[in-house]
Amino acid sequence: MINFMITPDIVEAFLGTCEGLSFICTSLIALRFIILFLSIANFIFCFWTGLDSAENLSILFLAVLHFSLNFYMISLYYYSRSIKCLSLGWRETYKKYFSIFLPFEFKKMLSFADIVKHKNKSPLELVKKDSEFECLSFVVDGGASITLENGQEVASLQKGDWISEFSFITGDKTSANVIAKDIYAISWSKSNLQKIKDRKPELFEKLNSLIAKNLCYKLVRSNKK
């Protein structure tokens, strides 16, 4: 009968093999969890075998370093995917209108945007008819009016609506004037939209899907009137 004893050398070889095999994992977050658990195992191993050798002290130092870095990156990963990464003022807007994006993606979209705030008796011209597409806007609060050249209102835009979305999709010139006296909106300029398309194409595709959904909603709403 063969007596099998677990020795420090066997444990060290086992942990080293596990660490090497962990890099086969294709998921980065799964790899971080594996390294986290291996760091804990190495930490226990060092105190089990003693800290009287330079080798064990080195292993302990690396175990603490790997644990700290990977714990931080895992926390950051889940925090960025939590609505808590958004400021309180944006959470309701995100949940109601932009949930197609992950929270950190919406935060990134905001970094490319300008915030439009206007509350005045004098109307703010947001879009001029027959002009080239300049910006895409989303009404967070307040509203806007679509008017003819004589100033007559033909339609109204409200909270949750997009402005210039048709020109954004087709590339055509704007088809109407849009003015507002009381509006709070997010606005993406043409140049910043191009930056999103170049740097974050996955976000640009999600934005297109969101706009298409809104156009369908507007069409249904207009047919009901």
Side-chain angles (χ1 to χ4, degrees):
M1 184 176 180
I2 299 174
N3 291 324
F4 180 76
M5 293 183 62
I6 298 176
T7 64
D9 288 339
I10 292 175
V11 174
E12 187 175 6
F14 174 75
L15 292 176
T17 303
C18 289
E19 187 173 353
L21 291 174
S22 68
F23 291 97
I24 299 174
C25 182
T26 56
S27 170
L28 180 59
I29 190 64
L31 176 61
R32 292 196 182 281
F33 271 111
I34 292 170
I35 294 176
L36 196 70
F37 288 120
L38 286 173
S39 298
I40 295 172
N42 278 318
F43 186 82
I44 295 171
F45 170 80
C46 289
F47 281 95
W48 174 49
T49 58
L51 298 174
D52 52 350
S53 68
E55 182 183 1
N56 279 5
L57 286 173
S58 176
I59 292 173
L60 178 64
F61 174 77
L62 288 175
V64 172
L65 181 63
H66 288 165
F67 178 88
S68 302
L69 288 176
N70 284 281
F71 182 81
Y72 171 75
M73 294 307 296
I74 289 170
S75 300
L76 189 62
Y77 175 86
Y78 285 106
Y79 175 73
S80 67
R81 282 156 176 76
S82 165
I83 198 170
K84 291 181 180 180
C85 76
L86 298 173
S87 61
L88 289 173
W90 289 115
R91 291 180 187 179
E92 182 182 350
T93 300
Y94 167 76
K95 287 190 290 185
K96 196 169 183 180
Y97 303 108
F98 290 91
S99 57
I100 190 173
F101 295 97
L102 292 171
F104 78 93
E105 291 178 330
F106 178 58
K107 192 174 183 179
K108 189 68 178 178
M109 290 294 293
L110 289 175
S111 70
F112 284 99
D114 296 313
I115 304 301
V116 178
K117 291 183 180 180
H118 182 79
K119 192 170 185 179
N120 199 298
K121 292 182 179 179
S122 301
L124 172 68
E125 185 179 62
L126 299 170
V127 179
K128 189 174 182 179
K129 185 180 178 182
D130 294 326
S131 61
E132 296 293 334
F133 173 75
E134 293 182 356
C135 64
L136 174 70
S137 302
F138 175 81
V139 182
V140 177
D141 204 359
S145 299
I146 300 176
T147 64
L148 300 175
E149 292 180 356
N150 60 7
Q152 181 183 354
E153 182 180 303
V154 293
S156 62
L157 299 173
Q158 56 192 18
K159 182 178 179 179
D161 281 334
W162 291 85
I163 302 172
S164 295
E165 75 276 30
F166 190 76
S167 296
F168 165 68
I169 290 178
T170 64
D172 295 338
K173 291 186 177 181
T174 54
S175 58
N177 299 311
V178 180
I179 60 172
K181 291 183 178 180
D182 183 4
I183 191 170
Y184 176 38
I186 310 170
S187 182
W188 290 272
S189 66
K190 185 177 181 179
S191 60
N192 279 339
L193 287 169
Q194 187 61 47
K195 288 179 183 178
I196 295 172
K197 185 177 182 180
D198 294 338
R199 300 176 189 177
K200 298 288 182 180
E202 69 282 3
L203 300 189
F204 193 78
E205 287 302 316
K206 287 187 178 183
L207 180 61
N208 272 300
S209 298
L210 195 60
I211 296 298
K213 182 180 178 181
N214 184 259
L215 282 172
C216 292
Y217 170 73
K218 272 187 177 180
L219 184 61
V220 172
R221 192 174 72 185
S222 63
N223 287 336
K224 286 182 179 180
K225 292 182 179 180

